[in-house]
Amino acid sequence: ERYKTAIERGITRQELQELLPPGGARNGIDCAMWDLEAKEKNTRVWEGIGLTLKPVETIYTLSSDTPQRMADEALRCSWAKQLKLKLNASEPAEKLLAVRTARPDAELIIDANSSWSSYMLDQIADTLSSAKVQLLEQPLPSTENHLLTNLDYPIPICADESFQSSKDLSTLSEYFDVFNVKLDKCGGLTDALEIARWCKKNNKKLLVGNMLGSSLAMAPGFVVAQYSDWIDLDGPLLQKNDVDPAIHFDDVKMTPPEQELWG
């Protein structure tokens, strides 16, 4: 509401980055501006930035539960080739090994959501390696990022809660190998593309993530997915209802959004 007049009068996406801080409000406006421009020009967002949008496969998330229940859920979704395991400080090794035993074929990543201690991170390293975990998201609280400096760890470590927007990249680069870009955090597609460019230039890997949401929330993330090493856009699969028209999911395979939806 504070900036309504300025936005309605007409500003550029770059001016929007200066007007509003990173977060959900700027994300909504930024992605709407991308959509409006594409519709006015009768083109698609990705064509305007020189991309050909390809179908992608999303990671599927398993919530933290007992080891047996997580293993059962992993078996139930045998159609998902990549699984993200939400593992807090309660029995993370037991839960991981239960899922790995149930799904020896799956590619696994772990999201610890800042819940581990540095001692636990050290103790579980061999287990992560033997279970062939591909990625570990945010094991430590943001206040302990310094403990990751020059850490010789067998699994790439990804910034999530520690990381919001492109302004954080330079200060976090010595701690993390991978960055989880979420549009609701960084404030839209404009900043997400800046993050993708920075990661490519600085030999860092990229995970495009989500904070739940409908297909409309995932559609701009689909563009970022074209630059990403890991794709976590399963929000609509975890919800009862979706918008219409929705992104089409064939199990975890996603097709590009229709113009009526976004972009």
Side-chain angles (χ1 to χ4, degrees):
E1 286 297 314
R2 182 183 303 173
Y3 300 111
K4 179 179 179 180
T5 300
I7 293 168
E8 289 182 343
R9 187 166 56 240
I11 58 174
T12 65
R13 287 193 301 273
Q14 193 55 48
E15 288 171 337
L16 179 66
Q17 310 308 300
E18 304 301 325
L19 190 66
L20 286 175
R26 193 176 80 185
N27 175 37
I29 298 168
D30 179 77
C31 292
M33 292 174 73
W34 279 97
D35 182 55
L36 177 61
E37 181 179 319
K39 286 178 168 58
E40 287 178 336
K41 295 181 177 179
N42 195 29
T43 185
R44 304 306 304 268
V45 164
W46 46 93
E47 293 171 351
I49 56 179
L51 279 180
T52 299
L53 221 60
K54 300 176 181 179
V56 299
E57 289 193 8
T58 180
I59 295 164
Y60 187 72
T61 303
L62 300 186
S63 298
S64 183
D65 207 325
T66 65
Q68 185 60 55
R69 286 176 179 171
M70 292 190 73
D72 291 344
E73 180 66 7
L75 280 172
R76 185 194 66 79
C77 58
S78 58
W79 35 264
K81 298 177 182 178
Q82 296 178 297
L83 298 174
K84 174 191 277 194
L85 312 183
K86 294 279 191 176
L87 298 182
N88 56 26
S90 174
E91 299 184 297
E94 291 82 354
K95 294 171 183 177
L96 166 62
L97 293 176
V99 171
R100 174 49 79 206
T101 300
R103 290 290 307 278
D105 61 306
E107 298 175 9
L108 303 181
I109 72 172
I110 291 174
D111 187 358
N113 287 120
S114 309
S115 64
W116 294 3
S117 66
S118 58
Y119 175 79
M120 181 178 294
L121 180 65
D122 181 62
Q123 292 298 302
I124 204 173
D126 289 343
T127 303
L128 299 183
S129 182
S130 63
K132 298 181 180 179
V133 172
Q134 290 196 337
L135 183 68
L136 174 59
E137 278 189 69
Q138 195 72 44
L140 304 180
S142 299
T143 53
E144 298 181 6
N145 284 339
H146 62 281
L147 298 177
L148 302 173
T149 307
N150 299 320
L151 184 66
D152 184 16
Y153 208 69
I155 308 299
I157 297 180
C158 176
D160 187 357
E161 283 82 3
S162 292
F163 172 59
Q164 182 168 13
S165 72
S166 60
K167 294 181 179 180
D168 301 325
L169 289 166
S170 59
T171 57
L172 295 176
S173 61
E174 63 180 313
Y175 310 132
F176 296 100
D177 309 298
V178 186
F179 289 92
N180 185 345
V181 55
K182 296 176 179 175
L183 301 190
D184 271 320
K185 288 200 305 180
C186 74
L189 180 59
T190 300
D191 196 65
L193 292 174
E194 182 63 29
I195 293 167
R197 287 188 286 266
W198 185 95
C199 286
K200 183 177 181 180
K201 181 180 178 180
N202 291 275
N203 296 315
K204 299 290 184 179
K205 293 190 174 182
L206 193 67
L207 163 67
V208 59
N210 74 95
M211 300 173 75
L212 292 178
S214 69
S215 287
L216 182 57
M218 301 304 116
F222 209 112
V223 177
V224 187
Q226 309 300 310
Y227 300 92
S228 300
D229 301 279
W230 291 274
I231 299 161
D232 180 17
L233 297 176
D234 63 349
L237 298 178
L238 305 175
Q239 299 187 161
K240 184 176 180 180
N241 299 307
D242 202 356
V243 296
D244 184 25
I247 289 175
H248 176 69
F249 284 84
D250 183 6
D251 292 333
V252 290
K253 188 174 182 179
M254 306 169 63
T255 57
E258 297 178 21
Q259 191 170 30
E260 185 182 352
L261 174 64
W262 181 86

